[in-house]
Amino acid sequence: MERIVKIFLCRIVLCGFVLVVACGGEAQTATPHATTPATLAPTRRPVIIPTTPAGWVPYSRATYQIALPDSWQEIKLTDAELKSAINSAQESNPPLAEQLRVLLDSGQYKAFVFYAFDQSGAGLRNVSLARTSLEGTNDLPAYARAYVDTLPNVVRGAKVVEAQTSVKINGIQAASVVYDVPLVDRAGALITLRGVQFLYLLESGDAYLVTVTGNASDAEKFMPLARQIGTSFVGVTP
């Protein structure tokens, strides 16, 4: 388990009203001449889709949805789009340009299915979404505990602030982790980034990791926003 979690961390960390939608099938009834008993089609758990807050934008894809404030901007995860975004941010937002350059040069962006950043000027904040799997296990609480134990050993200086290894969010089995990582910025100053992560396990066995990152010094304002973004996620089993 620990080895699996280490591989996962290396891929990922290094960088009111609800509508209930029921999905399921009807019972299959055998005909009078059938020789096999009736079977029931599997029934999926209800998916809860949270209402998008006013001033937010939902980003819907075939297998997931996530919502962000309208001041956030999605960046398409292709070489061309990243290079274009880097060029655009060179003068207006050098820290963002540097962050995107790291994503591009390291190839880390290939692990993501979605990436966006806050362009409101409130600091360097971003969100990434990665599709993954728990590598042969569906025991999310055990996986999350191993994740929490392994994180400080894989990411230098990382400190786990809080963790919930088993929680239901929008009808989906999930876990959440909050951690801090010290970094040196381009000016040589020591800063602490805070990561707020939500790991969702779908019935299919697929998992999605939502990571919202911001400055730990702005935690009072950042944390409620990060939680709201992370819990806006809804995954759909194809």
Side-chain angles (χ1 to χ4, degrees), residues 11-15 77 103 108-115 128-131 209 211:
R11 290 175 182 170
I12 301 303
V13 175
L14 296 174
C15 104
L77 296 169
L103 280 179
Q108 185 185 359
Y109 72 93
K110 296 176 183 177
F112 301 146
V113 296
F114 182 86
Y115 186 89
S128 64
L129 177 59
R131 183 178 180 179
L209 182 70
T211 303

Side-chain angles (χ1 to χ4, degrees), residues 73-172:
Q73 179 181 329
E74 179 187 7
I75 295 179
K76 300 295 185 180
L77 296 169
T78 66
D79 283 9
E81 292 286 350
L82 282 169
K83 289 176 182 177
S84 176
I86 291 169
N87 290 335
S88 299
Q90 291 282 13
E91 298 296 331
S92 61
N93 195 338
L96 174 63
E98 182 63 24
Q99 183 181 74
L100 296 179
R101 186 176 292 107
V102 170
L103 280 179
L104 178 63
D105 293 345
S106 67
Q108 185 185 359
Y109 72 93
K110 296 176 183 177
F112 301 146
V113 296
F114 182 86
Y115 186 89
F117 71 98
D118 183 1
Q119 55 181 352
S120 69
L124 191 59
R125 299 173 177 176
N126 62 70
V127 59
S128 64
L129 177 59
R131 183 178 180 179
T132 185
S133 71
L134 304 191
E135 304 293 345
T137 178
N138 285 327
D139 189 345
L140 181 59
Y143 189 92
R145 286 192 294 271
Y147 184 96
V148 169
D149 292 341
T150 306
L151 178 60
N153 298 323
V154 176
V155 182
R156 187 174 183 179
K159 176 184 177 182
V160 176
V161 178
E162 63 179 73
Q164 289 183 290
T165 58
S166 182
V167 64
K168 279 289 184 70
I169 301 175
N170 301 329
I172 306 172

Side-chain angles (χ1 to χ4, degrees), residues 11 18 31 42 47-48 55 62 81 106 108 117 177 183 197 210 228:
R11 290 175 182 170
V18 297
T31 65
V47 176
I48 301 173
E81 292 286 350
S106 67
Q108 185 185 359
F117 71 98
V177 179
L183 295 173
Q197 294 187 314
V210 181
Q228 194 170 9

